[in-house]
Amino acid sequence: MCLVADLHIHTVASGHAYSTVLENAKAAADRRLALIGITDHGPNMPGGPHEYHFANLVALPEVLYGVRVLRGIEANIIDQNGSLDLPDERLSKLDVVMAGFHSESFTAGTVEENTAMLINTIKNPWVDVIVHPGNPALQIDAEAVVKAAVEYDVALEVNNSSLVRSRKGSRPYCGRIIQLAKQYGAKMIVGTDSHFALHIGDFSEALQLLAENDVAPDAMLNSSVEKLLAHLNRRTNRLNPVV
Protein backbone atom coordinates (compact mmCIF):
# COMPACT_ATOMS: atom_id res chain seq x y z
CA MET A 1 0.00 0.00 0.00
CA CYS A 2 1.66 3.22 -1.17
CA LEU A 3 -0.97 5.42 0.51
CA VAL A 4 -1.56 4.97 4.22
CA ALA A 5 -4.56 7.20 4.91
CA ASP A 6 -7.97 7.96 3.47
CA LEU A 7 -9.51 11.17 4.79
CA HIS A 8 -12.57 11.42 2.56
CA ILE A 9 -15.00 8.90 4.04
CA HIS A 10 -18.75 9.15 4.68
CA THR A 11 -21.03 7.28 7.07
CA VAL A 12 -24.78 6.80 7.25
CA ALA A 13 -24.88 10.22 8.94
CA SER A 14 -24.36 11.88 5.55
CA GLY A 15 -27.85 10.77 4.55
CA HIS A 16 -26.83 9.11 1.29
CA ALA A 17 -24.01 6.82 2.44
CA TYR A 18 -24.44 3.26 3.59
CA SER A 19 -21.86 2.23 6.21
CA THR A 20 -21.25 2.92 9.89
CA VAL A 21 -18.10 4.21 11.56
CA LEU A 22 -17.31 0.68 12.76
CA GLU A 23 -17.81 -0.81 9.30
CA ASN A 24 -15.60 1.87 7.76
CA ALA A 25 -12.83 1.37 10.33
CA LYS A 26 -12.90 -2.39 9.82
CA ALA A 27 -12.69 -1.94 6.04
CA ALA A 28 -9.73 0.42 6.49
CA ALA A 29 -7.99 -2.11 8.72
CA ASP A 30 -8.55 -4.82 6.08
CA ARG A 31 -6.91 -2.48 3.56
CA ARG A 32 -4.00 -1.99 6.00
CA LEU A 33 -4.56 1.74 6.27
CA ALA A 34 -3.02 3.50 9.27
CA LEU A 35 -5.45 6.40 9.43
CA ILE A 36 -8.89 7.44 8.24
CA GLY A 37 -10.99 10.58 8.44
CA ILE A 38 -14.70 10.51 9.18
CA THR A 39 -15.76 13.44 7.02
CA ASP A 40 -19.50 13.44 6.66
CA HIS A 41 -21.25 16.15 4.68
CA GLY A 42 -22.13 19.38 6.44
CA PRO A 43 -25.67 20.31 7.52
CA ASN A 44 -26.59 22.05 4.24
CA MET A 45 -26.49 18.78 2.33
CA PRO A 46 -30.03 17.37 1.99
CA GLY A 47 -30.34 14.58 4.54
CA GLY A 48 -27.05 15.62 6.17
CA PRO A 49 -26.41 15.70 9.92
CA HIS A 50 -27.21 18.52 12.31
CA GLU A 51 -24.22 20.53 13.53
CA TYR A 52 -24.51 18.71 16.88
CA HIS A 53 -23.31 15.60 15.07
CA PHE A 54 -19.94 17.25 14.57
CA ALA A 55 -19.82 18.51 18.15
CA ASN A 56 -20.34 14.96 19.40
CA LEU A 57 -17.60 13.37 17.29
CA VAL A 58 -15.60 13.46 20.53
CA ALA A 59 -17.56 10.28 21.38
CA LEU A 60 -15.59 8.36 18.76
CA PRO A 61 -12.57 6.35 19.94
CA GLU A 62 -9.27 7.64 18.59
CA VAL A 63 -8.35 4.13 17.39
CA LEU A 64 -10.61 1.41 15.98
CA TYR A 65 -9.32 -1.95 14.76
CA GLY A 66 -5.81 -0.50 14.98
CA VAL A 67 -6.70 2.41 12.67
CA ARG A 68 -6.36 6.03 13.85
CA VAL A 69 -9.68 7.84 13.38
CA LEU A 70 -9.73 11.58 12.68
CA ARG A 71 -12.89 13.56 13.35
CA GLY A 72 -13.77 15.82 10.45
CA ILE A 73 -16.21 17.21 7.95
CA GLU A 74 -16.70 17.66 4.23
CA ALA A 75 -18.16 21.12 4.59
CA ASN A 76 -20.32 22.67 1.90
CA ILE A 77 -19.39 26.01 0.37
CA ILE A 78 -22.54 28.07 0.80
CA ASP A 79 -21.78 31.47 -0.74
CA GLN A 80 -19.46 33.48 -2.94
CA ASN A 81 -17.35 34.42 0.09
CA GLY A 82 -16.29 30.83 0.66
CA SER A 83 -18.35 30.49 3.83
CA LEU A 84 -18.91 26.98 5.17
CA ASP A 85 -22.01 25.38 6.65
CA LEU A 86 -20.59 24.81 10.13
CA PRO A 87 -19.78 27.54 12.68
CA ASP A 88 -16.15 28.31 13.42
CA GLU A 89 -16.67 27.13 17.00
CA ARG A 90 -17.40 23.63 15.71
CA LEU A 91 -14.68 23.71 13.04
CA SER A 92 -12.05 24.60 15.63
CA LYS A 93 -12.59 21.28 17.39
CA LEU A 94 -12.27 19.06 14.32
CA ASP A 95 -9.11 17.27 13.23
CA VAL A 96 -9.66 17.86 9.53
CA VAL A 97 -11.81 20.28 7.54
CA MET A 98 -12.42 19.43 3.91
CA ALA A 99 -14.52 21.79 1.82
CA GLY A 100 -16.07 21.63 -1.59
CA PHE A 101 -18.72 22.73 -4.02
CA HIS A 102 -22.00 20.78 -4.08
CA SER A 103 -24.81 21.91 -6.32
CA GLU A 104 -27.31 21.00 -3.59
CA SER A 105 -25.88 23.77 -1.39
CA PHE A 106 -24.80 26.48 -3.82
CA THR A 107 -25.36 27.26 -7.49
CA ALA A 108 -22.37 27.42 -9.81
CA GLY A 109 -21.87 30.64 -11.76
CA THR A 110 -19.51 31.90 -14.43
CA VAL A 111 -15.88 30.80 -14.58
CA GLU A 112 -14.89 34.07 -12.91
CA GLU A 113 -17.50 33.70 -10.16
CA ASN A 114 -16.64 30.05 -9.53
CA THR A 115 -12.93 30.83 -9.38
CA ALA A 116 -13.46 33.65 -6.90
CA MET A 117 -15.67 31.42 -4.76
CA LEU A 118 -13.10 28.63 -4.64
CA ILE A 119 -10.22 31.02 -3.94
CA ASN A 120 -12.22 32.58 -1.10
CA THR A 121 -12.73 29.08 0.28
CA ILE A 122 -8.99 28.45 0.05
CA LYS A 123 -8.45 31.66 2.00
CA ASN A 124 -10.83 30.44 4.70
CA PRO A 125 -8.53 29.83 7.69
CA TRP A 126 -10.35 26.64 8.72
CA VAL A 127 -9.88 24.73 5.48
CA ASP A 128 -7.30 21.95 5.12
CA VAL A 129 -8.35 20.37 1.81
CA ILE A 130 -10.38 21.41 -1.23
CA VAL A 131 -12.26 18.33 -2.40
CA HIS A 132 -12.92 17.32 -6.01
CA PRO A 133 -11.74 20.63 -7.56
CA GLY A 134 -11.87 18.93 -10.96
CA ASN A 135 -15.66 18.77 -10.88
CA PRO A 136 -16.79 19.60 -14.45
CA ALA A 137 -19.97 21.18 -13.06
CA LEU A 138 -17.75 23.87 -11.54
CA GLN A 139 -15.83 25.49 -14.37
CA ILE A 140 -12.86 27.41 -12.95
CA ASP A 141 -9.59 29.08 -13.84
CA ALA A 142 -7.59 26.10 -12.62
CA GLU A 143 -4.25 27.91 -12.69
CA ALA A 144 -5.54 30.70 -10.44
CA VAL A 145 -7.01 28.16 -8.00
CA VAL A 146 -3.78 26.14 -7.83
CA LYS A 147 -1.71 29.27 -7.24
CA ALA A 148 -4.03 30.26 -4.40
CA ALA A 149 -3.72 26.79 -2.89
CA VAL A 150 0.05 27.19 -2.86
CA GLU A 151 -0.13 30.69 -1.35
CA TYR A 152 -2.51 29.68 1.44
CA ASP A 153 -1.06 26.19 2.00
CA VAL A 154 -4.26 24.27 1.32
CA ALA A 155 -4.18 20.80 -0.25
CA LEU A 156 -6.05 19.86 -3.42
CA GLU A 157 -7.74 16.49 -3.64
CA VAL A 158 -7.47 13.93 -6.41
CA ASN A 159 -10.87 12.31 -5.92
CA ASN A 160 -11.01 8.64 -6.88
CA SER A 161 -14.82 8.55 -6.95
CA SER A 162 -14.85 11.35 -9.55
CA LEU A 163 -12.97 8.98 -11.86
CA VAL A 164 -15.23 6.00 -11.21
CA ARG A 165 -18.83 6.65 -10.17
CA SER A 166 -19.59 10.33 -9.65
CA ARG A 167 -19.04 13.71 -11.37
CA LYS A 168 -18.85 12.18 -14.83
CA GLY A 169 -16.33 13.82 -17.14
CA SER A 170 -13.94 14.81 -14.36
CA ARG A 171 -10.85 13.05 -15.68
CA PRO A 172 -9.42 15.77 -17.99
CA TYR A 173 -10.13 18.48 -15.41
CA CYS A 174 -8.46 16.46 -12.67
CA GLY A 175 -5.49 15.82 -14.95
CA ARG A 176 -5.16 19.55 -15.60
CA ILE A 177 -5.13 20.31 -11.87
CA ILE A 178 -2.53 17.60 -11.26
CA GLN A 179 -0.28 19.10 -13.92
CA LEU A 180 -0.66 22.60 -12.48
CA ALA A 181 -0.10 21.35 -8.93
CA LYS A 182 3.06 19.64 -10.12
CA GLN A 183 4.19 22.83 -11.88
CA TYR A 184 3.56 25.19 -8.96
CA GLY A 185 4.28 22.84 -6.06
CA ALA A 186 0.77 22.61 -4.62
CA LYS A 187 0.06 19.97 -2.01
CA MET A 188 -2.10 17.09 -3.20
CA ILE A 189 -3.97 14.32 -1.42
CA VAL A 190 -5.87 11.33 -2.77
CA GLY A 191 -9.32 10.62 -1.34
CA THR A 192 -11.78 7.88 -2.14
CA ASP A 193 -14.92 9.87 -1.27
CA SER A 194 -16.29 6.56 -0.04
CA HIS A 195 -20.00 6.28 0.59
CA PHE A 196 -19.75 2.52 1.17
CA ALA A 197 -17.15 0.74 3.29
CA LEU A 198 -15.76 -1.50 0.55
CA HIS A 199 -14.60 1.55 -1.44
CA ILE A 200 -12.31 2.75 1.36
CA GLY A 201 -8.63 2.61 0.43
CA ASP A 202 -9.33 1.92 -3.26
CA PHE A 203 -7.20 4.65 -4.82
CA SER A 204 -6.65 2.76 -8.08
CA GLU A 205 -8.06 5.20 -10.64
CA ALA A 206 -6.52 8.23 -8.94
CA LEU A 207 -3.14 6.52 -8.82
CA GLN A 208 -3.46 5.67 -12.52
CA LEU A 209 -4.18 9.31 -13.35
CA LEU A 210 -1.21 10.44 -11.25
CA ALA A 211 1.01 7.96 -13.12
CA GLU A 212 -0.24 9.27 -16.47
CA ASN A 213 0.88 12.72 -15.34
CA ASP A 214 4.26 11.50 -14.05
CA VAL A 215 3.43 12.16 -10.40
CA ALA A 216 4.65 9.58 -7.89
CA PRO A 217 2.31 8.41 -5.10
CA ASP A 218 4.85 9.48 -2.49
CA ALA A 219 4.22 13.09 -3.53
CA MET A 220 0.75 12.82 -1.96
CA LEU A 221 0.16 14.05 1.59
CA ASN A 222 -1.39 10.74 2.52
CA SER A 223 1.67 8.74 1.53
CA SER A 224 2.81 9.04 5.15
CA VAL A 225 1.07 9.71 8.45
CA GLU A 226 3.81 12.15 9.44
CA LYS A 227 3.41 14.23 6.30
CA LEU A 228 -0.35 14.28 6.64
CA LEU A 229 -0.36 15.31 10.30
CA ALA A 230 2.22 18.01 9.63
CA HIS A 231 -0.17 19.52 7.11
CA LEU A 232 -3.15 19.38 9.45
CA ASN A 233 -1.14 20.88 12.31
CA ARG A 234 0.00 23.87 10.25
CA ARG A 235 -3.26 25.55 11.27
CA THR A 236 -2.76 27.89 14.21
CA ASN A 237 -6.49 28.21 14.93
CA ARG A 238 -6.93 24.50 15.69
CA LEU A 239 -8.10 23.96 19.25
CA ASN A 240 -5.83 20.94 19.77
CA PRO A 241 -2.97 19.53 17.67
CA VAL A 242 -3.64 16.32 15.77
CA VAL A 243 -1.44 13.56 17.13
Side-chain angles (χ1 to χ4, degrees):
M1 172 63 68
C2 55
L3 298 178
V4 301
D6 189 355
L7 291 192
H8 197 162
I9 294 174
H10 297 276
T11 74
V12 291
S14 281
H16 58 275
Y18 304 95
S19 302
T20 66
V21 173
L22 280 175
E23 290 167 339
N24 287 345
K26 180 61 167 62
D30 291 344
R31 285 275 191 174
R32 300 178 183 267
L33 294 177
L35 186 151
I36 59 171
I38 300 299
T39 47
D40 282 305
H41 286 286
N44 272 40
M45 178 63 67
H50 189 274
E51 69 173 79
Y52 291 171
H53 166 84
F54 299 98
N56 200 44
L57 286 173
V58 294
L60 295 182
E62 292 188 355
V63 178
L64 288 168
Y65 300 105
V67 178
R68 173 78 166 91
V69 179
L70 299 187
R71 305 166 178 93
I73 185 173
E74 182 188 7
N76 299 292
I77 302 169
I78 59 174
D79 60 33
Q80 194 70 40
N81 296 322
S83 303
L84 305 180
D85 59 341
L86 199 68
D88 291 353
E89 177 190 1
R90 306 290 190 205
L91 295 172
S92 70
K93 298 173 183 176
L94 296 178
D95 298 323
V96 55
V97 175
M98 310 180 98
F101 166 79
H102 298 94
S103 58
E104 297 83 359
S105 297
F106 188 69
T107 302
T110 65
V111 170
E112 292 75 19
E113 290 169 339
N114 296 339
T115 301
M117 176 195 71
L118 212 50
I119 289 175
N120 285 335
T121 305
I122 288 168
K123 291 179 179 179
N124 188 314
W126 303 102
V127 173
D128 298 306
V129 179
I130 296 294
V131 295
H132 41 72
N135 184 354
L138 187 74
Q139 294 294 307
I140 57 172
D141 179 341
E143 185 169 19
V145 168
V146 170
K147 286 181 175 180
V150 173
E151 181 178 356
Y152 291 93
D153 200 14
V154 170
L156 300 171
E157 182 193 49
V158 183
N159 186 290
N160 196 79
S161 181
S162 293
L163 306 172
V164 179
R165 66 185 62 86
S166 56
R167 293 174 289 277
K168 300 295 185 182
S170 291
R171 195 176 191 88
Y173 297 97
C174 293
R176 171 69 173 153
I177 288 171
I178 290 169
Q179 280 292 330
L180 288 165
K182 178 181 171 184
Q183 177 181 348
Y184 290 106
K187 291 178 177 177
M188 286 186 284
I189 186 170
V190 180
T192 60
D193 198 356
S194 293
H195 288 66
F196 184 62
L198 296 184
H199 298 148
I200 292 169
D202 180 4
F203 306 109
S204 54
E205 288 299 316
L207 290 174
Q208 176 61 38
L209 186 59
L210 289 168
E212 290 171 9
N213 288 277
D214 297 317
V215 177
D218 61 9
M220 300 297 104
L221 282 180
N222 52 326
S223 63
S224 83
V225 171
E226 294 76 18
K227 189 187 302 185
L228 182 57
L229 295 187
H231 175 70
L232 297 179
N233 283 320
R234 85 209 184 289
R235 267 178 43 192
T236 58
N237 60 4
R238 191 181 302 282
L239 190 65
N240 297 303
V242 186
V243 296

